[in-house]
Amino acid sequence: MSTLPQVEQSLAAIAELDGDIHAITQVFDQSSADPGALPGELSGVPVLVKDNIATTRGTTSCNSGMLENYESPFDATVVERLREAGAVVIGKANMDEFAMGSSTEHGLRTTNHPTHHHCVPGGSSGGSAAAVGAGMVPLALGSDTGGSIRQPAAFCGCVGLKPTYGRVSRFGLVAFASSLDQIGPLASSVEIASQCLNAIAGPDSKDMTSVRRDPENFARYLSEDTSSLRVGLVTSCLTDDNDERINLAVRNAAKRFERMGATIVEIELPSLHYAISSYYIIAAAEASSNLARFDGVRYGTRPSLEGGESLEDLYERARTEGFGEEVRRRIMLGTYVLSAGYYDAYYTKALRARRKIRNEFDGAFCAHELHTMLLPTTPTPAFERGSIQDPLNMYLQDIYTVPANLAGLPAISVPWIDKETERGGLPVGVQLMSPMFAEARMLQAASVLEKD
């Protein structure tokens, strides 16, 4: 069976480049694969899938010893929809273990930055971002729980889109935090990201959290006039704690919007101060519940029992040996905040802060009649591998991305390139957030940032 030209190009690029990047965990044999000749927006486009999204081909390991040899009996809904749109799924991309991390340093395998190999690609969708950033594929799927699509997209110089919560089916995604997780594309352009969203969005009877909305064309505004756009510049995020290139990129992006005729409105969102602490309480709580099933009996690698050991010993050994340090840390934190005596003090308070953040976003969008908000994706460009050892400092890498997950909003990171921010050669991303289900207008605004 002949291989499609784009697929051949990607396979050649993977063979040439991935030995230094380690973005890809598996490449599927294309000799017996569907040639991807189905008509559709993505006909013949090679796609990588993050290794926590189920595929019947290969394994779905979540980069964890717990699921190292797990073979899924079904495909995730997004994988089925990609194939229906003509795309060719050519392999799986590396990630932080169980999607817990911001650097793709956690788990069985680590991934390097696509151009600066001593730096991290971000996480947890670091393999997907690095593969797109290196030009190995034009499109990859990731999952975003607190910024895991957008943060690595910013680090690797590609487009990363988190859709509205419920816009895309989560069936077949190994759950981390169910009220926050969302699948989305990492792409080489806003247009390709739009085409991917056209393919994978829509209700799914297998996922009761997917929203029942009619299909729509998310690329419909990409070529339209932008003079009617109203963009909120979130000035409270432009702090001295950011790398100066980040603040400069965001302000220069605002100037580009103005040159294209859009209206810039400066706004502040004071409740974002509570986003990181709220997110890590809620996400850890949900993770401790979701990962309880991985006990070596129902799911996961089972260690051999020695004489005299109990079932409880089996559970303890399976989870200690199967999970890495970061996953164990979050499970323990989540169990703590859900325990008697601490539930109201931590978890309930975090849920209240989440509602406050959501209300503040809604109020700002409504009061200023905004189509989107402009803010940084990350506080810094990509950092050197191993340079952040303190977990709290690592968590702060998500400071500008977690609010969209807490509020369920769509958000996108777009690479920003100009002479003033190119110092050091590392990519910088800027972020847009829009009201729920306003992806089409958000993508229109994102396309402005790609123009010179």
Side-chain angles (χ1 to χ4, degrees):
M1 179 181 295
S2 62
T3 307
L4 293 167
Q6 290 186 75
V7 174
E8 287 183 345
Q9 293 169 10
S10 284
L11 294 176
I14 289 168
E16 177 184 356
L17 300 172
D18 199 48
D20 293 323
I21 301 172
H22 311 299
I24 299 165
T25 61
Q26 305 160 73
V27 176
F28 300 150
D29 179 11
Q30 297 301 310
S31 62
S32 60
D34 184 332
L38 292 174
E41 285 189 289
L42 299 176
S43 184
V45 175
V47 182
L48 288 168
V49 175
K50 187 176 179 179
D51 203 19
N52 61 344
I53 298 173
T55 55
T56 52
R57 302 187 72 193
T59 60
T60 302
S61 74
C62 294
N63 195 21
S64 175
M66 182 63 78
L67 290 177
E68 186 172 6
N69 300 309
Y70 174 68
E71 297 180 3
S72 172
F74 60 87
D75 283 320
T77 296
V78 290
V79 173
E80 292 178 349
R81 290 179 175 174
L82 283 175
R83 292 200 178 108
E84 290 168 0
V88 182
V89 177
I90 64 170
K92 305 296 278 286
N94 197 29
M95 57 183 286
D96 281 302
E97 183 181 10
F98 279 99
M100 299 181 190
S102 301
S103 62
T104 315
E105 294 177 288
H106 306 289
L108 300 175
R109 296 165 290 271
T110 62
T111 296
N112 297 328
H113 190 278
T115 58
H116 295 63
H117 298 158
H118 63 290
C119 291
V120 303
S124 64
S125 305
S128 296
V132 175
M136 289 188 268
V137 288
L139 177 65
L141 288 187
S143 65
D144 193 310
T145 306
S148 289
I149 289 173
R150 291 159 288 151
Q151 187 251 20
F155 279 8
C156 295
C158 58
V159 174
L161 169 62
K162 184 203 90 70
T164 303
Y165 182 79
R167 175 72 89 175
V168 175
S169 171
R170 293 186 298 112
F171 179 76
L173 174 68
V174 178
F176 166 10
S178 301
S179 75
L180 302 165
D181 297 339
Q182 188 65 91
I183 295 171
L186 294 105
S188 56
S189 70
V190 171
E191 182 179 12
I192 294 175
S194 304
Q195 292 170 345
C196 181
L197 189 58
N198 285 342
I200 64 176
D204 179 15
S205 61
K206 298 174 185 175
D207 176 12
M208 298 308 293
T209 65
S210 69
V211 178
R212 275 57 181 165
R213 292 178 71 92
D214 294 334
E216 57 182 283
N217 177 14
F218 296 104
R220 64 186 183 274
Y221 298 127
L222 292 187
S223 60
E224 291 195 5
D225 178 66
T226 58
S227 60
S228 63
L229 281 177
R230 292 179 60 83
V231 179
L233 175 60
V234 187
T235 56
S236 53
C237 293
L238 302 178
T239 73
D240 292 338
D241 293 330
N242 297 339
D243 185 289
E244 62 176 0
R245 288 168 289 182
I246 301 297
N247 292 341
L248 186 59
V250 173
R251 293 198 180 278
N252 286 349
K255 292 175 182 177
R256 179 175 295 177
F257 275 121
E258 288 183 316
R259 288 196 301 270
M260 299 297 289
T263 301
I264 298 293
V265 180
E266 293 192 0
I267 62 172
E268 293 192 4
L269 298 171
S271 293
L272 295 192
H273 175 74
Y274 305 108
I276 277 286
S277 53
S278 301
Y279 167 81
Y280 275 99
I281 290 172
I282 294 169
E286 294 186 17
S288 72
S289 177
N290 279 327
L291 271 63
R293 71 195 72 177
F294 299 107
D295 55 17
V297 176
R298 291 169 292 182
Y299 294 95
T301 302
R302 178 184 296 188
S304 58
L305 276 176
E306 300 175 1
E309 289 188 300
S310 66
L311 183 61
E312 183 176 339
D313 294 328
L314 171 65
Y315 289 161
E316 182 177 343
R317 285 184 54 201
R319 292 169 69 80
T320 300
E321 296 172 13
F323 290 138
E325 181 180 1
E326 181 61 28
V327 175
R328 295 198 301 269
R329 180 184 293 116
R330 298 199 195 195
I331 290 173
M332 293 175 67
L333 174 61
T335 303
Y336 177 81
V337 301
L338 290 176
S339 62
Y342 298 101
Y343 184 95
D344 288 333
Y346 294 103
Y347 185 65
T348 300
K349 189 176 291 185
L351 292 178
R352 289 174 181 154
R354 180 182 193 172
R355 170 52 62 181
K356 184 175 179 62
I357 291 167
R358 168 73 181 277
N359 289 344
E360 192 165 272
F361 271 114
D362 290 345
F365 282 124
C366 183
H368 301 287
E369 299 180 332
L370 301 176
H371 293 101
T372 194
M373 293 181 184
L374 173 65
L375 65 161
T377 307
T378 61
T380 69
F383 49 87
E384 291 189 7
R385 188 173 55 252
S387 62
I388 300 180
Q389 297 296 323
D390 181 359
L392 293 178
N393 288 336
M394 185 69 78
Y395 296 164
L396 289 173
Q397 292 298 312
D398 301 330
I399 190 168
Y400 299 127
T401 54
V402 297
N405 299 82
L406 290 170
L409 303 176
I412 189 169
S413 179
V414 183
W416 181 260
I417 301 173
D418 64 28
K419 292 181 180 179
E420 292 182 287
T421 57
E422 282 180 346
R423 296 190 308 277
L426 285 166
V428 170
V430 296
Q431 183 177 198
L432 299 173
M433 292 183 189
S434 290
M436 295 183 75
F437 305 108
E439 282 91 344
R441 284 294 185 192
M442 183 180 73
L443 287 161
Q444 179 193 24
S447 69
V448 171
L449 300 177
E450 287 186 316
K451 300 172 183 175
D452 294 329

